[in-house]
Amino acid sequence: MEEHIVRILNIEQVTHDVKRFRYEKPEGYSFIPGQATEVSINKPEIVNERRPFTFTCLNSDPFLEFTIKIYPSHNGVTKVLGTLVPGDELIIRDVWGAINYKGKGLFIAGGAGITPFLSIFRDLKSKNEVEGNTLIFGNRTKKDIILESELSEMLGNSFINVLSDENNDRYLHGFITTEVIKPYITTPDMNVYLCGPPPMMDLVKEQLAELHVMKNSIVLEL
């Protein structure tokens, strides 16, 4: 398996519990928007702990980037990631992932499940091809919405936010349901991109089946 030790260049707070890590890009390293790699932190006490993270930059960028939700209460990789500073090192490996852009469609994300779609939308924006796509994004509260301003700028009225734990006149309240999804399903074979926590994904797959969306039109991580 290919391994690269890369130095963190910059860390930025994106939301109250999400950080953006930009780090060195090995020569010749490339990925398709939506793909991921297995990551560990180059510190002796945790170097053998590996986690998958999705690239959120453009393949053409001179750096690589992850946008990661930090869990300080969990004794694991993300807790340590929250303590890192520029100059610390990560180990990245081969690129993998089944999520990639297959054409215009409906994107459905829950929480940190937005990450594979960030690279896809940024790539589409660079080619002026965002129009015709819709994003439904489920979160608990407004403060949990990752990169809301950027996504709003790219998608405009095609960016639909659903908040489960907060009533706000600007957003839908509750969960991503059949009623929320139905207006955006135009044909049974339309592309539907899905990423989020497993319980949410299982529920949405059931809802898509109720709406007669073909299974082979749903793009998700296998």
Side-chain angles (χ1 to χ4, degrees):
M1 177 183 287
E2 178 183 14
E3 287 194 353
H4 301 278
I5 297 175
V6 293
R7 185 171 53 91
I8 296 173
L9 304 172
N10 176 264
I11 301 173
E12 181 182 346
Q13 197 78 35
V14 176
T15 72
H16 66 103
D17 62 357
V18 173
K19 289 187 175 184
R20 173 162 51 208
F21 298 81
R22 288 183 176 171
Y23 53 97
E24 294 171 326
K25 185 176 186 177
E27 185 175 353
Y29 197 90
S30 65
F31 64 92
I32 297 170
Q35 288 190 312
T37 189
E38 202 170 54
V39 180
S40 54
I41 299 166
N42 196 25
K43 291 181 180 288
E45 67 276 15
I46 200 170
V47 69
N48 293 320
E49 294 285 333
R50 302 180 179 188
R51 297 291 184 274
F53 293 114
T54 307
F55 301 106
T56 54
C57 52
L58 295 175
N59 187 50
S60 58
D61 285 333
F63 53 82
L64 294 173
E65 178 187 284
F66 297 133
T67 303
I68 299 174
K69 188 168 184 176
I70 306 298
Y71 296 90
S73 61
H74 296 186
N75 286 320
V77 171
T78 64
K79 181 176 181 178
V80 179
L81 279 168
T83 70
L84 297 184
V85 296
D88 285 335
E89 294 176 337
L90 304 177
I91 301 173
I92 62 171
R93 298 170 176 84
D94 298 335
V95 170
W96 56 270
I99 296 178
N100 57 78
Y101 189 65
K102 301 181 184 301
K104 297 183 189 304
L106 173 63
F107 291 75
I108 303 174
I114 192 64
T115 54
F117 303 157
L118 292 176
S119 181
I120 290 172
F121 283 130
R122 287 169 170 171
D123 182 61
L124 292 174
K125 182 184 177 183
S126 74
K127 298 183 285 191
N128 198 29
E129 295 178 3
V130 175
E131 189 174 350
N133 292 290
T134 299
L135 170 62
I136 300 174
F137 192 11
N139 285 283
R140 291 183 176 180
T141 68
K142 174 178 167 45
K143 71 177 184 178
D144 298 311
I145 303 174
I146 298 171
L147 297 173
E148 179 181 9
S149 295
E150 181 179 356
L151 290 167
S152 294
E153 189 275 327
M154 286 194 284
L155 288 151
N157 292 332
S158 296
F159 180 31
I160 294 91
N161 285 283
V162 184
L163 304 180
S164 63
D165 296 359
E166 179 181 333
N167 274 305
N168 187 313
D169 291 343
R170 292 180 52 205
Y171 309 98
L172 297 179
H173 175 61
F175 296 95
I176 297 175
T177 62
T178 305
E179 289 69 30
V180 172
I181 298 170
K182 186 176 181 179
Y184 306 100
I185 301 297
T186 54
T187 61
D189 62 347
M190 73 176 292
N191 296 309
V192 179
Y193 303 85
L194 175 60
C195 191
M200 170 256 185
M201 290 181 61
D202 290 341
L203 183 60
V204 171
K205 282 188 284 185
E206 291 177 8
Q207 295 164 350
L208 292 173
E210 290 176 15
L211 295 168
H212 308 293
V213 174
M214 296 169 59
K215 279 188 178 180
N216 61 4
S217 294
I218 302 172
V219 180
L220 44 73
E221 200 54 65
L222 303 175

